[in-house]
Amino acid sequence: MTRPILPHEVQTHLKWPLRLTGAGMVLERLWRAFWPLATIVLTAFAVWSFWTIGPSPIATGLLALGVFAALAALIWGARNFAWPSRAEQLAQLDNSLPGHPIAALMDDQATGRDDMASRSLWQAHLTRMAQRLKGVRPVSPDLRVARSDPYALRLIAATGATLAIGFTPWLDRLSSPGATGADAGAPPVASASWEGWIEPPGYTGRPSLYLADQPPGPLAVPQGSRLTLRLYGDLDTLGVTADLSDTPITGPAQQSYLLVITKSGPLDIEGPGAARWQITAIGDTPPTVTTEGELTRRLAGDFSLPFTATDDYAVTRGHAAATLGLDRIDRRHGLATAPEDRPPLVVDLPLPYRGSRTQIDGVLEENLIEHPWAGLPVDLTLKVEDGAEQTGTTPPMNIILPARRFLHPVAKALIEQRRDLLWSRDNGRRVAQITRAVLNRPDDLDLPEGIYLRLRSAIRRLEAGLAFSDTQAGLPEDLRNEVAAVFWEVAVELDDGRLADALARMQQAQDRLEQAMRDGASEEELAELMDEMREAMRDYLEQLAENQQNGPQSDQPPPENGVEMSMADLEDMMERIEELMRQGREDEAMQMLDQLRQMMENMQMAQTGPSNQPGQSAREGLQETLREQQGLSDQAFRDLQEQGQGSQAGESEGNEGRDGGQGRGQSHNGADGQQGQDGQGAGPEQGGGREGSDLAKRQSDLQRQLEAQRRNLPGAGDEAGQAARDALDDAGRAMGDAAEALEQGDLPEALDRQADAMEALREGMRQFDEAMANQQAQRQGEQGSNPGEGRRSSQRDPLGRSPDGNNGATATDSPLEDGEDVYRRAQELMEELRRRSGEGDRPDLERDYLKRLLDQF
């Protein structure tokens, strides 16, 4: 039985897809059969293309091996190749289609041929299969032979053949089969070429010039540029002529040229790509440096000198050098000795790290107060250098090297001897003798603790070194420097105390904060640095106030244009700086920080008048009396509590809250000291009568002391002065009543009378301050001065606060300031505390704090 053929309409649809599928099958079978032959042929071509040795036994052996391998591969491929039949082509195409429609169309109905329904169903199936053949596409060939070639030899051979085609003259060798490798690789005359470029010096910042891109004609390059030329091909067809340096280029062409352009001249290239340039060598102008304005000095010994440096390309480095001006020095005393040889003093000029350096407007800022030449004449010269090592200098400036000004007499003497010792080690014996003479009577110098011993130790070491140097080369330099360092440290400590350390700490904190802002630190880091600077600033203010209290007092009133700032003002500035940093406005924050730095460095003590004004000692005596009275009142109150008198204790406690509470907050040194001297400290083991007698005696002594102070009180002709005497008279009577009550053992009555005495004492001090202020205003001729200003302390710290925290109600920072009834104000404060503690909408933490305040009263 013969198989039916495809319908005619179906054959029309399968004509070209079947042909293309058959062609793909032929290509697929050819590649799978002959890929070894192709690999051998490509390998032989690559070896032949790169073979430059010429005929040799190795080449003959390789040729024979290649021919044998090719024949073997050809035979193997012929045996494995089979031409695809039509049935195989139909099967290949049918396998790529879903449902195998071609096979279905070529099949016959096996059963049900006599059944009409069955035939109809079969015919519908054939129609559906025929529809699937519309638009059929040919099958692509499968050229993968990786399983047969696991080492990819075919790819290696293809790569070698590709390289041979691209990089070897294989066409020339095909046209001349007998040519050797050397003859085949020789380029023709027409392949001669050249290339060249000019590289300017690196410091100029100019790019390299590729000569092939530069049009012939004038060409300007910096002097010192490097010319590089390279010639390829037949050198006989090229020629180079150049006269750009001391050694011109002439004669036969070479493969490469390298020279440095030092002068202007022609550059001529002949042959293929001929060109001619007229090179102009641009000379490098030396840099210049000039000073702008005068040298300025600051109190700390810093100096600044503005300067301007210029160069046609860039200033690479610069420094300032100072040499000692011996001809302008007064050669007396320790300077009469010949000075030791010292190298010039050299400091680097500040140059920008980024941006252009063709013109630099900078400021030289240095602090050289510890240098041996500080305070001596020097010749200062600024010098800059460019990339070509050319220099520019300024004329020598005759200046005095800034030095620190010392005010303490011993410090000044030590600094002078330090200068002489650093001037020459030959002055060592003289320095030791003079320093011993200065320290002959240390008790008269009033030196701080430890200073005298440090100086004596330094002198002994200096004398021991001098004794040893008599038999040696001289005083050791390291010992000389060590003694000089001790002199400097002691002088600074004498002149400033701990103020220099506090100032340095504050400046270091400010520098760290500025650096953190420049480096983009986080908000947490900036907040930590701000706290550090606040702490350093408070320490500096405390040291400044302490130095002003312990140092010599000024006889002049403060300047009229002086500005008095409070700690709150400084805190506001700090908060503003912190806010600017949070907003990212670093420039404004650094500007305000610099203003704060200048304010802190230039801050001075605020004074309302001379410290030795009339009545100052009298007022201090009244303050001491008030402190002793407060101590007596405290002791009486404690005795009352120990006796356990309930009702009387309650009454006394109320009085103490009204009058004596403030006294408990003050220092009790006076009272305690009195107790220690008399040996009459009250304790539980002592009887109440003995205690009352002791307190009564001390109260009577205090009354007599106040009476003596009242008689010697100045300002008798003034109304306020008379009011002060009357108030002190009332205080004396109250003290007498308190002494009688203590003698009788009536402690509650004694406490009331002591409270009256303290209030009268405060009133008398207020009136006394007003009288002294009026007298001072009259002496100075001031019109319209406020008498109330006399109530201030005669000396204040840098923020205008009283240095004495125990001035009673006269302190300006007291919550119960003068001018109002202290009892009424205390009552108002208590009522306000109770009101706030009862408000339920306040935080629990705040209410607990208010309750603790109420419990104290």
Side-chain angles (χ1 to χ4, degrees):
M1 181 177 179
T2 60
R3 293 178 61 87
I5 62 174
L6 291 172
H8 179 73
E9 61 275 10
V10 173
Q11 293 183 6
T12 304
H13 292 305
L14 293 180
K15 181 178 180 181
W16 282 108
L18 190 60
R19 290 179 179 177
L20 293 177
T21 300
M25 293 180 66
V26 173
L27 180 60
E28 177 181 333
R29 295 186 178 187
L30 283 173
W31 175 243
R32 290 184 178 181
F34 295 101
W35 73 264
L37 178 62
T39 301
I40 294 173
V41 172
L42 293 176
T43 302
F45 173 74
V47 173
W48 171 77
S49 298
F50 287 105
W51 189 268
T52 58
I53 301 177
S56 65
I58 298 177
T60 303
L62 290 177
L63 179 60
L65 180 61
V67 171
F68 176 78
L71 288 175
L74 179 61
I75 295 172
W76 182 85
R79 295 182 60 182
N80 287 277
F81 176 77
W83 197 270
S85 64
R86 178 177 176 82
E88 291 175 338
Q89 296 176 13
L90 287 173
Q92 180 81 355
L93 184 60
D94 193 26
N95 291 334
S96 66
L97 299 175
H100 299 280
I102 298 177
L105 291 173
M106 297 176 65
D107 284 343
D108 292 332
Q109 185 176 357
T111 60
R113 295 182 181 181
D114 298 334
D115 186 5
M116 181 62 67
S118 178
R119 287 199 301 269
S120 299
L121 180 60
W122 175 253
Q123 190 61 38
H125 173 66
L126 293 179
T127 303
R128 185 180 297 111
M129 292 296 104
Q131 292 294 331
R132 290 185 180 181
L133 294 178
K134 293 182 179 181
V136 66
R137 295 180 178 274
V139 180
S140 301
D142 184 7
L143 303 179
R144 293 174 295 179
V145 292
R147 290 186 178 180
S148 302
D149 184 18
Y151 299 105
L153 298 178
R154 66 195 185 283
L155 300 180
I156 297 175
T159 303
T162 302
L163 294 175
I165 294 174
F167 297 97
T168 61
W170 57 278
L171 289 177
D172 297 336
R173 300 186 66 177
L174 287 177
S175 60
S176 303
T180 62
D183 296 337
V189 174
S191 64
S193 62
W194 61 270
E195 65 176 347
W197 52 89
I198 297 177
E199 300 174 79
Y203 67 85
T204 63
R206 294 192 175 187
S208 298
L209 301 177
Y210 190 63
L211 288 178
D213 296 337
Q214 306 302 318
L219 182 61
V221 296
Q223 189 175 11
S225 300
R226 186 172 61 178
L227 171 64
T228 303
L229 288 175
R230 291 181 181 175
L231 309 182
Y232 307 101
D234 188 3
L235 300 182
D236 295 337
T237 62
L238 294 174
V240 178
T241 303
D243 187 12
L244 302 174
S245 63
D246 296 337
T247 306
I249 298 176
T250 57
Q254 302 177 8
Q255 288 187 344
S256 63
Y257 295 93
L258 180 62
L259 61 89
V260 177
I261 300 176
T262 59
K263 64 179 181 178
S264 302
L267 174 59
D268 189 6
I269 300 178
E270 301 175 353
R276 179 182 177 84
W277 294 274
Q278 183 63 37
I279 304 296
T280 301
I282 304 174
D284 191 353
T285 304
T288 61
V289 57
T290 57
T291 57
E292 304 293 335
E294 298 294 334
L295 182 140
T296 58
R297 299 172 174 84
R298 285 181 284 274
L299 296 176
D302 303 30
F303 71 90
S304 59
L305 178 64
F307 68 92
T308 299
T310 61
D311 188 64
D312 48 358
Y313 294 114
V315 177
T316 58
R317 62 182 62 89
H319 65 265
T323 57
L324 191 62
L326 283 174
D327 55 339
R328 304 192 306 276
I329 296 178
D330 186 6
R331 303 289 298 277
R332 294 187 299 169
H333 308 298
L335 303 182
T337 307
E340 295 181 4
D341 293 334
R342 287 186 179 273
L345 172 62
V346 178
V347 294
D348 293 332
L349 293 179
L351 301 179
Y353 291 103
R354 301 177 181 175
S356 174
R357 288 190 178 185
T358 57
Q359 180 170 349
I360 301 174
D361 296 322
V363 179
L364 173 63
E365 294 182 335
E366 287 292 337
N367 189 325
L368 303 172
I369 56 177
E370 296 188 38
H371 195 272
W373 294 346
L376 298 177
V378 295
D379 298 326
L380 183 65
T381 303
L382 305 186
K383 182 178 181 180
V384 293
E385 184 177 337
D386 63 2
E389 299 183 354
Q390 301 179 106
T391 60
T393 59
T394 61
M397 299 177 57
N398 300 330
I399 64 170
I400 301 296
L401 192 64
R404 171 175 175 151
R405 183 183 298 274
F406 288 87
L407 301 179
H408 196 284
V410 178
K412 294 172 64 176
L414 291 176
I415 290 301
E416 182 178 353
Q417 298 311 306
R418 173 183 178 271
R419 181 204 62 184
D420 295 348
L421 187 60
L422 293 175
W423 178 267
S424 175
R425 280 174 284 181
D426 295 339
N427 288 331
R429 197 172 305 279
R430 179 179 182 275
V431 169
Q433 293 174 352
I434 294 179
T435 309
R436 276 193 174 277
V438 171
L439 302 177
N440 183 34
R441 295 184 178 180
D443 295 338
D444 298 341
L445 300 178
D446 192 20
L447 298 177
E449 182 180 359
I451 294 295
Y452 175 73
L453 295 179
R454 289 169 61 186
L455 291 175
R456 286 295 302 270
S457 175
I459 294 174
R460 289 194 185 98
R461 296 195 60 185
L462 180 60
E463 291 174 343
L466 291 171
F468 180 76
S469 65
D470 291 340
T471 59
Q472 301 295 329
L475 181 66
E477 184 177 359
D478 55 348
L479 177 60
R480 186 269 304 274
N481 295 338
E482 183 178 349
V483 173
V486 173
F487 282 5
W488 176 267
E489 293 171 0
V490 171
V492 172
E493 188 172 346
L494 288 175
D495 209 54
D496 285 347
R498 292 181 57 245
L499 181 62
D501 297 335
L503 178 59
R505 180 187 173 196
M506 184 185 67
Q507 292 174 342
Q508 181 182 11
Q510 292 176 341
D511 293 339
R512 292 181 60 187
L513 181 59
E514 292 179 357
Q515 185 64 36
M517 284 191 289
R518 285 192 292 266
D519 296 342
S522 63
E523 293 186 3
E524 293 77 9
E525 294 173 338
L526 293 176
E528 182 178 354
L529 292 174
M530 286 292 293
D531 294 339
E532 179 183 353
M533 197 178 82
R534 285 191 180 97
E535 182 181 354
M537 184 172 61
R538 293 190 185 99
D539 186 30
Y540 173 68
L541 293 175
E542 292 175 2
Q543 295 302 323
L544 189 64
E546 180 181 349
N547 278 35
Q548 186 69 11
Q549 284 182 276
N550 299 333
Q553 305 298 324
S554 172
D555 295 334
Q556 301 295 332
E560 296 182 359
N561 58 352
V563 178
E564 182 175 308
M565 296 188 65
S566 65
M567 190 64 191
D569 297 330
L570 296 178
E571 288 290 347
D572 290 341
M573 288 190 67
M574 297 287 290
E575 293 177 0
R576 177 59 177 165
I577 293 173
E578 196 168 4
E579 180 182 358
L580 291 174
M581 289 190 300
R582 286 195 300 266
Q583 296 176 357
R585 300 156 65 180
E586 289 83 1
D587 294 340
E588 299 180 30
M590 293 183 67
Q591 184 178 3
M592 183 170 290
L593 189 62
D594 186 63
Q595 294 176 0
L596 178 62
R597 180 200 298 269
Q598 296 177 4
M599 291 170 52
M600 298 299 294
E601 290 179 353
N602 298 329
M603 183 172 288
Q604 298 178 353
M605 292 298 297
Q607 297 180 347
T608 60
S611 61
N612 56 351
Q613 57 183 339
Q616 180 68 23
S617 59
R619 193 185 191 287
E620 293 175 353
L622 292 176
Q623 290 177 346
E624 182 64 22
T625 302
L626 177 60
R627 283 193 290 269
E628 293 181 7
Q629 183 60 70
Q630 288 171 342
L632 282 174
S633 180
D634 292 345
Q635 184 62 48
F637 181 75
R638 288 193 293 269
D639 293 345
L640 180 61
Q641 288 180 324
E642 292 171 359
Q643 289 179 7
Q645 299 179 1
S647 60
Q648 295 175 348
E651 180 183 357
S652 300
E653 188 174 350
N655 292 335
E656 187 67 7
R658 185 186 66 183
D659 297 311
Q662 188 176 358
R664 288 200 311 269
Q666 305 293 339
S667 173
H668 299 155
N669 296 337
D672 295 341
Q674 185 70 24
Q675 293 173 11
Q677 293 172 3
D678 298 340
Q680 297 170 350
E685 71 279 358
Q686 292 178 328
R690 175 68 179 275
E691 294 172 352
S693 177
D694 293 339
L695 292 177
K697 181 178 182 301
R698 291 168 55 192
Q699 186 68 73
S700 300
D701 294 340
L702 194 60
Q703 180 186 8
R704 288 189 293 271
Q705 177 181 334
L706 179 63
E707 181 61 23
Q709 293 173 346
R710 178 182 176 277
R711 289 194 301 268
N712 298 329
L713 200 68
D718 186 81
E719 181 179 354
Q722 186 59 41
R725 284 176 169 78
D726 295 341
L728 295 180
D729 192 18
D730 294 340
R733 285 193 295 269
M735 287 181 179
D737 295 341
E740 293 179 2
L742 290 172
E743 187 69 30
Q744 297 173 4
D746 189 359
L747 292 179
E749 179 64 18
L751 286 172
D752 290 339
R753 302 287 74 79
Q754 287 174 341
D756 295 339
M758 287 188 291
E759 180 59 26
L761 265 174
R762 295 189 183 100
E763 179 62 23
M765 293 172 64
R766 287 194 292 268
Q767 296 294 340
F768 175 75
D769 290 341
E770 185 173 351
M772 292 299 98
N774 293 338
Q775 291 183 6
Q776 182 179 358
Q778 293 176 2
R779 288 195 304 269
Q780 296 179 354
E782 297 177 351
Q783 300 298 329
S785 63
N786 185 6
E789 293 178 357
R791 301 173 186 171
R792 300 178 183 175
S793 175
S794 62
Q795 181 181 1
R796 301 181 180 183
D797 70 357
L799 301 180
R801 300 172 299 190
S802 171
D804 188 359
N806 300 323
N807 290 347
T810 61
T812 58
D813 54 355
S814 173
L816 302 177
E817 193 175 354
D818 305 340
E820 296 187 28
D821 186 6
V822 293
Y823 305 118
R824 182 177 60 81
R825 294 195 61 189
Q827 184 66 26
E828 291 176 355
L829 289 175
M830 293 289 293
E831 292 177 357
E832 181 65 15
L833 290 176
R834 292 191 184 96
R835 183 186 65 81
R836 295 189 180 186
S837 63
E839 294 178 353
D841 56 344
R842 291 185 178 274
D844 294 340
L845 183 63
E846 181 179 353
R847 295 178 62 189
D848 293 342
Y849 172 70
L850 295 173
K851 289 179 182 178
R852 288 197 301 271
L853 288 179
L854 290 173
D855 292 342
Q856 295 181 3
F857 296 96

